[in-house]
Amino acid sequence: MSQRDEAVLPLLLTQLHLPTMKRLWENIAIEAEGKGWSGPRYLSNLCEHEVAERERRRLGRYMSEAQLPKGKTLESYDFDSIAGIRKTKIIGLASDEVWIKEGMNVLIFGPSGVGKTHLAAAIGEKLVMNGSRVFFTRTTELVQKLQAAKKALNLPAALEKLDKYDCLIMDDFGYVQKDEFETSVLFELICERYERKSMVITCNQPFKEWDRIFLDKQMAVAAVDRLVHHATIFEIEAESYRRKAAMNKKKAKEV
């Protein structure tokens, strides 16, 4: 390579927004010369590094924007203590992109403290690792933001902003206040994503008690109908982790 080429190449790579290739081209050129690589193989190797680095940065952005709780992974989930949840099914679901592409839902029910949040977040982490855009939020916080947007006449824009996420994870769905303004925006969100974008919902109340969430019974029925139409439903049966931890701590002090 001539001195002119060595001077011009970094400038061209900068103009083409190829920072990884710009950083590595000299070292890889030395390796290519030593191993007798052809021109196409050298270029292919450079491109592979650029693609890999872009993928790493994309994954970092997606993981950051997902706002998933720390440490909630499938690897750290205690499947042995949970009845009604098969590890193979959860792993298969977390690795399967079909339900995300088809806008299907996952609904996780169970009493407080049995690991619903952990399971939902763990599924979300795997989805991000597989290339999906995910957003994790407590349902009450999201509803309050949507309610404020509706009062400001900006609800369509707020819903459109959430549309960029392939999967919306709504934790503690059952804690939404029984208020017609909050439940109305929640219903609008469900309708907006129906059959287009996926949701993972955790809830401590079975469907038959959703009239405690939605004031309007017809709205409750319509919400349930849309959520279950294309959904995988899990019902967790287990003793509360928090209660179990407290009891173990108490026993340890008594010994």
Side-chain angles (χ1 to χ4, degrees):
M1 183 179 290
S2 68
Q3 289 185 340
R4 177 185 178 281
D5 290 334
E6 289 183 0
V8 170
L9 182 57
L11 299 177
L12 294 175
L13 293 175
T14 298
Q15 287 184 324
L16 292 171
H17 305 288
L18 298 170
T20 302
M21 293 177 69
K22 178 183 177 182
R23 176 168 53 85
L24 297 176
W25 75 268
E26 288 181 288
N27 291 337
I28 295 179
I30 294 172
E31 181 181 2
E33 184 177 358
K35 295 181 178 180
W37 288 357
S38 65
R41 183 173 180 183
Y42 166 63
L43 182 58
S44 176
N45 191 283
L46 264 182
C47 290
E48 286 174 358
H49 280 285
E50 184 70 45
V51 169
E53 178 60 20
R54 288 189 179 191
E55 177 64 15
R56 188 193 66 79
R57 293 198 301 266
R58 180 199 62 78
L59 180 60
R61 290 195 305 271
Y62 282 12
M63 196 63 75
S64 177
E65 74 177 7
Q67 298 186 28
L68 295 165
K70 302 295 183 182
K72 307 294 186 183
T73 66
L74 288 181
E75 290 73 21
S76 63
Y77 191 77
D78 187 6
F79 286 96
D80 294 334
S81 301
I82 304 298
I85 301 294
R86 288 191 291 115
K87 184 176 181 179
T88 53
K89 185 170 184 178
I90 295 296
I91 293 175
L93 182 72
S95 303
D96 185 8
E97 299 178 1
V98 174
W99 67 280
I100 292 292
K101 291 179 179 178
E102 295 183 356
M104 302 173 70
N105 304 318
V106 172
L107 311 177
I108 305 172
F109 293 92
S112 177
V114 297
K116 300 187 300 296
T117 299
H118 188 148
L119 189 60
I123 292 172
E125 186 211 27
K126 291 300 183 186
L127 291 175
V128 173
M129 295 292 288
N130 290 331
S132 296
R133 297 187 73 176
V134 172
F135 182 64
F136 180 99
T137 179
R138 289 179 60 85
T139 306
T140 51
E141 294 177 5
L142 178 60
V143 165
Q144 287 169 7
K145 290 178 181 178
L146 293 178
Q147 186 180 11
K150 186 171 185 176
K151 289 181 179 178
L153 304 179
N154 289 326
L155 184 59
L159 293 175
E160 184 178 354
K161 187 175 180 180
L162 291 172
D163 213 45
K164 69 181 179 181
Y165 298 109
D166 303 300
C167 184
L168 182 61
I169 301 178
M170 299 169 62
D171 193 32
D172 288 334
F173 191 89
Y175 289 113
V176 173
Q177 295 182 11
K178 195 171 181 179
D179 176 284
E180 72 173 299
F181 293 107
E182 291 200 0
T183 54
S184 66
V185 295
L186 181 57
F187 182 70
E188 289 188 57
L189 173 63
I190 292 171
C191 292
E192 178 70 18
R193 295 185 72 86
Y194 177 56
E195 293 190 317
R196 295 191 316 103
K197 298 287 184 174
S198 295
M199 290 182 284
V200 173
I201 289 176
T202 73
C203 189
N204 64 347
Q205 298 178 1
F207 288 132
K208 65 181 180 180
E209 297 179 9
W210 275 29
D211 56 354
R212 297 181 182 179
I213 301 173
F214 295 93
L215 281 173
D216 188 322
K217 289 187 177 181
Q218 289 185 333
M219 185 181 291
V221 171
V224 170
D225 183 61
R226 285 165 172 76
L227 288 174
V228 304
H229 186 201
H230 304 291
T232 299
I233 301 175
F234 296 100
E235 295 185 20
I236 298 179
E237 300 172 9
E239 182 182 354
S240 169
Y241 286 155
R242 290 185 285 272
R243 189 181 302 115
K244 188 186 298 184
M247 291 299 295
N248 291 337
K249 186 176 181 180
K250 181 180 179 181
K251 289 179 181 179
K253 287 182 178 180
E254 292 174 350
V255 173

